[in-house]
Amino acid sequence: MKEAYLELKDLTKSFGNGADKVIAVDHIDLQVKEGELVTLLGPSGCGKTTTLRMIAGFHTPTGGDVYIDGVSMNQIPPNKRPTAMVFQNYALFPHMTVFENIAYGLRIRKESNDEVKRKVEDIMRLIGLENLGDRQPRQLSGGQQQRVSLARALVMEPKVLLFDEPLSNLDAKLRVSTRLEIRKLQQRVGITSVYVTHDQEEAMTLSDKVVIMDRGLIQQVGSPAEIYSHPVNRFVAGFIGKANFLQAVVDSVEAEQLVLQFLGKKIVAPRWNKEIKTGDEVLIVARPESILPEHPNEELVEGVVVNSVYFGSQMLYEVELPDHTVLQIEVADPQYHPIFTQGHKVGLAFKDRSLHVLPMEK
Ligand code: ATP
């Protein structure tokens, strides 16, 4: 397997001039291996769609280049690129049958009728669209229309498949089942894919790698587990999942762990960042499931329960600390733990291994 099948090198796009100038994508580098599915995830306006459109060739970069399988795409127009896009609004031709929608690109390429028939039928079988070939798009459900759109992209045998928020027009339940289908199919076909979404759950469940973007910059690239457990900064930690941020001071540094002072108590956390030193101010990222309320004792950070909700499989707490910070806490299997209600004083046990410590940002 080649290291980088799709590569973005110093890719930049700005729109407008002077005071109106917007830097949508700001000198980004990214490498995607063959067969990987990578999602671009970030808040609205962070540059995801612009990046995807530069890969497809719909936008010309202001600087930098896109390489696919080692070939520069700079001079190659969109219709000649080895890419295909699955759009949010499906972009099907309403007056054509499903078969003809899927066949469209092959006909433009002037492939023979026999070839077209074979390829379209193969892909319809693969995607589960058999028997729907004669229908028109309006006779299909949203999920089926999205499958046609996927079939139409795949039939072209692109080297890189691009997805532009393909599930955002589907209802919540269909979104979940369709994203599983997309993932299975992508793995079965082994096609290198770039997927744009602003839905973090979608990104986490679909991806080999997640690229977190903010204000035109890549903040972090990593597997879903890396991004969740070891976010590189506060933005990523807050954007993916829920996080409590605790300001602490490093008491001592050991080989594998940091001992931290927080509200006069000691908390131990894994030592990921080797640059953090004794005396440094740091930010502890504590996920809601990394804190456990217990009966108070003098070693534990104290707090008062301000809210407690029983969910059966989970107990949700809000606990106020002496400095008035309110922590969000989730306890799985509540039947195995003491249950506290509003007004209870609790001691907070931090689950060492799931804490993550960041240097304080200026
Ligand atoms: P969303 O999730 O809302 O689609 P996004 O992350 O895909 O957001 P982009 O569409 O890539 O963001 O836009 C990045 C920035 O570039 C935004 O500030 C946007 O307003 C600006 N932008 C995008 N396209 C154009 C354009 N054609 N002309 C001017 N500005 C643009």
Side-chain angles (χ1 to χ4, degrees):
M1 191 190 282
K2 290 184 208 102
E3 249 323 287
Y5 193 68
L6 165 68
E7 189 167 16
L8 313 185
K9 271 197 188 159
D10 203 22
L11 198 63
T12 300
K13 178 73 185 176
S14 53
F15 295 102
N17 286 308
D20 295 333
K21 183 168 164 178
V22 177
I23 302 176
V25 175
D26 196 358
H27 299 279
I28 64 169
D29 292 298
L30 180 68
Q31 302 196 332
V32 182
K33 291 184 197 154
E34 190 168 5
E36 263 186 334
L37 189 153
V38 168
T39 44
L40 307 181
L41 176 68
S44 181
C46 72
K48 320 179 278 292
T49 310
T50 305
T51 303
L52 195 76
R53 295 177 70 83
M54 284 195 279
I55 300 172
F58 302 147
H59 280 325
T60 308
T62 313
D65 205 348
V66 173
Y67 292 85
I68 296 177
D69 203 5
V71 178
S72 163
M73 294 289 119
N74 246 352
Q75 303 301 326
I76 303 185
N79 58 349
K80 294 274 170 18
R81 290 193 182 193
T83 55
M85 175 100 79
V86 180
F87 294 94
Q88 186 180 124
N89 57 4
Y90 322 135
L92 302 176
F93 299 113
H95 57 283
M96 284 187 195
T97 62
V98 165
F99 185 99
E100 284 307 324
N101 263 286
I102 300 173
Y104 184 79
L106 301 174
R107 299 225 191 269
I108 300 262
R109 260 195 215 161
K110 305 223 174 336
E111 298 205 7
S112 71
N113 274 339
D114 287 350
E115 269 300 272
V116 171
K117 187 164 184 299
R118 184 183 64 75
K119 286 186 182 175
V120 173
E121 284 177 354
D122 278 354
I123 213 85
M124 284 179 42
R125 213 170 303 119
L126 183 73
I127 301 197
L129 290 168
E130 306 101 315
N131 311 323
L132 297 179
D134 294 332
R135 294 215 195 155
Q136 294 201 325
R138 67 184 156 76
Q139 298 169 309
L140 301 177
S141 69
Q144 288 168 333
Q145 287 184 44
Q146 193 48 286
R147 295 228 286 279
V148 176
S149 164
L150 182 58
R152 193 179 51 177
L154 274 176
V155 83
M156 302 303 285
E157 295 169 10
K159 289 186 170 175
V160 177
L161 191 55
L162 306 172
F163 293 90
D164 184 10
E165 305 226 18
L167 307 181
S168 46
N169 288 340
L170 303 179
D171 67 45
K173 210 164 151 203
L174 201 54
R175 261 204 312 267
V176 172
S177 58
T178 312
R179 82 180 176 222
L180 288 175
E181 265 178 45
I182 289 183
R183 178 56 165 163
K184 274 195 230 147
L185 192 73
Q186 181 270 335
Q187 286 178 324
R188 194 149 22 115
V189 180
I191 186 159
T192 312
S193 305
V194 182
Y195 190 108
V196 163
T197 179
H198 59 262
D199 179 333
Q200 54 159 294
E201 196 180 297
E202 204 168 296
M204 297 297 267
T205 51
L206 268 173
S207 317
D208 294 302
K209 261 196 240 156
V210 181
V211 178
I212 307 279
M213 295 184 71
D214 185 36
R215 285 170 292 162
L217 298 168
I218 291 181
Q219 300 289 325
Q220 185 166 6
V221 181
S223 69
E226 279 163 357
I227 300 259
Y228 187 77
S229 309
H230 308 300
V232 292
N233 57 31
R234 186 178 181 139
F235 172 81
V236 176
F239 190 74
I240 293 291
K242 292 183 225 152
N244 297 291
F245 295 105
L246 314 175
Q247 286 192 23
V249 175
V250 181
D251 199 66
S252 63
V253 178
E254 297 171 5
E256 301 294 330
Q257 61 184 29
L258 301 171
V259 181
L260 308 161
Q261 276 281 348
F262 177 66
L263 297 176
K265 302 288 159 64
K266 287 199 164 109
I267 296 180
V268 174
R271 185 178 168 220
W272 284 99
N273 184 327
K274 304 288 180 210
E275 280 162 26
I276 292 175
K277 310 179 299 298
T278 303
D280 281 1
E281 281 195 26
V282 291
L283 206 56
I284 307 174
V285 181
R287 300 291 183 188
E289 67 276 14
S290 311
I291 313 173
L292 195 60
E294 294 184 352
H295 294 291
N297 76 48
E298 60 189 31
E299 287 185 3
L300 298 179
V301 172
E302 265 187 28
V304 176
V305 175
V306 289
N307 198 4
S308 120
V309 183
Y310 180 71
F311 263 101
S313 65
Q314 246 188 355
M315 193 81 207
L316 306 187
Y317 291 105
E318 287 181 334
V319 172
E320 186 172 341
L321 302 179
D323 69 356
H324 303 298
T325 319
V326 174
L327 303 185
Q328 310 291 325
I329 299 176
E330 295 173 10
V331 179
D333 295 326
Q335 50 280 31
Y336 289 95
H337 300 282
I339 290 192
F340 301 100
T341 51
Q342 198 177 354
H344 263 129
K345 275 197 174 164
V346 289
L348 298 176
F350 291 87
K351 298 180 191 168
D352 305 3
R353 269 177 300 167
S354 55
L355 298 179
H356 183 67
V357 179
L358 295 172
M360 192 64 82
E361 285 165 31
K362 295 187 181 82

